[in-house]
Amino acid sequence: MTTIDPGLTVEEEALLPSDDDVRHYAEHGWYLSKKLLTDDEVDELVAATDRYYAGERDRLLPVRPPKLAYWEPSRGDVQRHNDYVHHEHDGIARILRKPLIGAVAARLARAVEIRIFQSTLIWKPPVAGEPSNIVPWHFDKHYWASSSSENMLTAFVPFHDCGEEMGTITMVDGSHRWREIGADDTVVRHFADRDRGQLEVMLAENAAYNHAEIRKVPMVIPKGHMSFHHCRTYHGSGANVSGRPRRAISLHLQDGDNAWREYPLSDGSLAAYNHDVLVRRTHDGRPDYADPDYCPVIWRDRAQQGG
């Protein structure tokens, strides 16, 4: 096992993925964690996000990126998505930056360093038939084409016990190892901007191309636990029929090797991400995906880095 950063307690070290867990993640593309947040920490997260929804901010984005997800009360009781909550609200950020979360991600991604890439606060209302409650099949790397790393991953962090009746996140087992058909770069469009039926067809065609069975695995996640999935793992979620809101954060994480890259699209433009209008520039003028204001380090293995 990798040498553990001395910032973890002995009790926290026991919560890291085992070697078998790391092998499972490599084969299946997902991992269900042990209890990484205490009940008190989850309750703090609930309280902080309540204040966020009530309008509390510690800072605002200096400009509005072109594809920002940012629910506001005027949009009504649809599924809410709010990006950059780790930047705008210190109470939320304090929990999301817990080193143990980064250490788990580092084990799974076999990385020395883990930085936040994005955080999206999600509220799935218990509204029967609400179309926004259905998240169609997609994988995150489609939207991160301007990122050089193939080892990025996401932690899905519910604020309560989260099972199928709440429309929990559901993985397509092993799909991160599939080869995609062709090079249709319309997939860089967010799933909210695409026809749901097209995405169902895309999943089926890619499975057939890989001679693979589509095996859907709902993540049943107890309070304080979280799921992790590889950036190429197909996933989605169904309706919330539980009678209460499904509340969670999708915490997107990047390994220390990730950087902006030039990725041309078929229309002649370059793939872009919201960070590109926010983050500082590197010495050669590229968007810096290591800008600590937006992409803070939450884990670095000091032993491997020589201090």
Side-chain angles (χ1 to χ4, degrees), residues 38-304:
T38 67
D39 286 348
D40 286 346
E41 287 172 324
V42 177
D43 293 344
E44 284 182 44
L45 200 50
V46 171
T49 56
D50 283 344
R51 298 194 304 273
Y52 178 91
Y53 282 134
E56 182 178 275
R57 305 288 189 275
D58 292 290
R59 65 196 58 80
L60 295 172
L61 298 176
V63 296
R64 195 177 183 93
K67 296 181 179 179
L68 182 70
Y70 209 85
W71 178 88
E72 294 170 315
S74 61
R75 299 191 181 180
D77 204 11
V78 297
Q79 184 165 195
R80 310 175 191 177
H81 290 84
N82 289 85
D83 291 338
Y84 291 100
V85 291
H86 70 284
H87 176 78
E88 290 195 330
H89 197 282
D90 291 341
I92 298 173
R94 192 185 72 77
I95 305 297
L96 297 184
R97 293 175 69 166
K98 184 174 183 176
L100 177 58
I101 298 174
V104 170
R107 281 278 292 153
L108 298 174
R110 304 175 190 265
V112 172
E113 179 180 287
I114 294 291
R115 302 189 298 262
I116 290 179
F117 189 69
Q118 180 61 277
S119 61
T120 303
L121 177 61
I122 306 169
W123 171 298
K124 180 178 285 198
V127 179
E130 168 51 49
S132 69
N133 273 355
I134 308 295
V135 176
W137 303 110
H138 66 285
F139 65 72
D140 300 325
K141 184 63 176 174
H142 276 154
Y143 317 124
W144 302 340
S146 60
S147 285
S148 62
S149 174
E150 295 291 330
N151 295 314
M152 299 169 72
L153 68 168
T154 294
F156 179 74
V157 188
F159 300 175
H160 42 67
D161 293 344
C162 189
E164 289 188 71
E165 76 287 351
M166 301 200 83
T168 190
I169 190 169
T170 298
M171 311 299 178
V172 178
D173 193 61
S175 55
H176 66 304
R177 295 186 286 116
W178 294 357
R179 292 180 58 218
E180 283 198 284
I181 303 171
D184 176 9
D185 59 28
T186 65
V187 294
V188 302
R189 287 164 43 205
H190 193 267
F191 60 77
D193 300 323
R194 289 176 59 86
D195 179 80
R196 187 176 302 150
Q198 286 182 323
L199 294 174
E200 290 281 355
V201 169
M202 182 174 69
L203 175 68
E205 288 180 344
N206 276 302
Y209 181 71
N210 286 273
H211 307 289
E213 175 188 356
I214 298 175
R215 192 169 83 88
K216 300 172 182 177
V217 184
M219 299 288 103
V220 178
I221 309 172
K223 180 178 177 179
H225 300 236
M226 54 193 75
S227 68
F228 289 78
H229 62 268
H230 187 275
C231 62
R232 287 190 174 274
T233 299
Y234 275 99
H235 59 284
S237 66
N240 177 10
V241 297
S242 70
R244 61 191 182 99
R246 194 207 74 181
R247 304 180 62 174
I249 285 176
S250 279
L251 181 60
H252 303 303
L253 300 166
Q254 55 177 323
D255 53 287
D257 291 336
N258 186 51
W260 181 89
R261 66 172 178 179
E262 186 175 284
Y263 190 89
L265 302 175
S266 57
D267 64 2
S269 66
L270 296 179
Y273 188 69
N274 283 331
H275 287 351
D276 300 353
V277 300
L278 293 171
V279 299
R280 68 190 182 187
R281 291 305 187 257
T282 61
H283 64 89
D284 53 357
R286 296 175 293 113
D288 186 0
Y289 289 176
D291 183 341
D293 286 344
Y294 298 97
C295 304
V297 174
I298 62 170
W299 176 258
R300 183 179 290 125
D301 190 319
R302 298 174 196 163
Q304 288 200 23

Side-chain angles (χ1 to χ4, degrees), residues 25-37:
Y25 175 81
E27 180 179 353
H28 296 273
W30 56 268
Y31 166 70
L32 271 174
S33 81
K34 302 179 179 72
K35 187 166 184 170
L36 305 184
L37 298 178

